[in-house]
Amino acid sequence: MPSDNNPCRVVVLISGNGSNLQAIIDNTSNDPLINIVGVISNRPQAFGLQRAELASIPTAIVDHTLFSNPADFEQALINKIEAYQPTLIVLAGFMRILSSTFVSHFEGRILNIHPALLPNYKGLHTHQRVLASGDKEHGASVHFVTQELDGGPIVAQVKVAVLANDDEKSLSERVLTAEHWLYSQVISLFAQNRLKVEQNIVTLDGKHLAEQGLQLSLPTAQGIVS
Ligand code: GAR
């Protein structure tokens, strides 16, 4: 947990583009309570590494293809993360499944963002599946990570309306914009020491959150109809 005097030391794990990482960098750069101390990618070519370097944030690569088994990869990842002495681990498009060893090592301090209104549409291709189902509502969720894929206790969600003329590209762009706003909100609550998870129950300021977490609305300046 962040202490009262020290900033929350955030390590961000990525696998690709890193647009969520960029949003977190931009949205928290003036926040004295948040210090992004490292960015780690499992893919050497991830564009997010360049984003971190441009922001003068230390980077590391733990390439999963160089390990003969997932346990060795995870141990190397744990070691790299620990070297940054993190308070909080933020998964931002990190596309590896993490075992219970990893999750219990950092218990209560791993967040993930997922492009869907969990518990619906866990896994991949969420936008395509939402469109195929004819849903009128889609969105993004931030949750604490457990060993169940996209399945940990939900902290917060933002809803995004599905429009009649949406295709996968237009819908995914609007959801991604929502993600960019949502993730920083949650990280900020954690850094303020207001957000906790114990035995899979999330509390904000000591009060239990509902199962689907805080239902947040995007500021209208984001230009999103929700
Ligand atoms: C984001 O949409 C994120 O929610 C998703 O990957 C994308 C990464 O984009 N994560 C998952 O699907 C996790 N289950 P980014 O690299 O541009 O931030």
Side-chain angles (χ1 to χ4, degrees):
M1 293 300 131
S3 77
D4 287 343
N5 300 318
N6 298 321
C8 179
R9 295 173 63 83
V10 179
V11 169
V12 184
L13 304 193
I14 59 166
S15 296
N17 182 26
S19 71
N20 274 288
L21 165 68
Q22 187 68 59
I24 296 164
I25 292 171
D26 295 344
N27 295 341
T28 66
S29 61
N30 292 325
D31 188 336
L33 292 178
I34 298 173
N35 187 7
I36 307 173
V37 291
V39 171
I40 303 175
S41 173
N42 66 307
R43 292 186 190 280
Q45 305 309 329
F47 182 62
L49 289 169
Q50 292 181 41
R51 297 180 188 270
E53 280 154 20
L54 265 176
S56 304
I57 298 168
T59 60
I61 297 164
V62 185
D63 182 348
H64 64 281
T65 65
L66 302 181
F67 294 85
S68 55
N69 63 68
D72 288 354
F73 163 68
E74 272 195 4
Q75 192 52 56
L77 187 60
I78 289 172
N79 295 346
K80 272 279 188 260
I81 295 172
E82 283 293 11
Y84 293 117
Q85 300 179 289
T87 323
L88 176 67
I89 323 297
V90 166
L91 309 186
F94 183 69
M95 300 313 234
R96 302 298 301 170
I97 293 172
L98 297 164
S99 77
S100 57
T101 309
F102 184 96
V103 171
S104 50
H105 188 96
F106 297 109
E107 197 178 348
R109 51 199 184 108
I110 315 172
L111 291 172
N112 182 42
I113 192 155
H114 183 70
L117 295 173
L118 292 170
N120 298 327
Y121 302 107
K122 296 174 182 176
L124 298 173
H125 311 301
T126 58
H127 314 298
Q128 211 179 69
R129 286 153 62 206
V130 164
L131 287 169
S133 300
D135 293 2
K136 297 280 175 272
E137 223 169 38
H138 188 23
S141 308
V142 174
H143 64 96
F144 280 106
V145 172
T146 60
Q147 60 195 103
E148 190 196 341
L149 178 70
D150 300 324
I154 301 166
V155 178
Q157 296 186 323
V158 167
K159 292 190 168 77
V160 172
V162 180
L163 306 180
N165 57 352
D166 262 331
D167 57 17
E168 199 181 335
K169 182 169 180 290
S170 62
L171 184 58
S172 66
E173 282 172 358
R174 287 207 314 288
V175 171
L176 196 58
T177 304
E179 292 183 42
H180 294 165
W181 176 80
L182 177 67
Y183 221 172
S184 306
Q185 305 302 309
V186 174
I187 292 167
S188 169
L189 290 175
F190 188 92
Q192 291 170 51
N193 220 359
R194 298 173 59 192
L195 191 63
K196 306 236 161 36
V197 61
E198 268 166 38
Q199 290 168 349
N200 278 352
I201 294 173
V202 183
T203 56
L204 178 68
D205 300 331
K207 296 194 185 93
H208 288 192
L209 292 186
E211 225 160 274
Q212 287 187 273
L214 297 168
Q215 298 295 305
L216 300 180
S217 300
L218 276 166
T220 47
Q222 299 287 332
I224 290 193
V225 185
S226 72

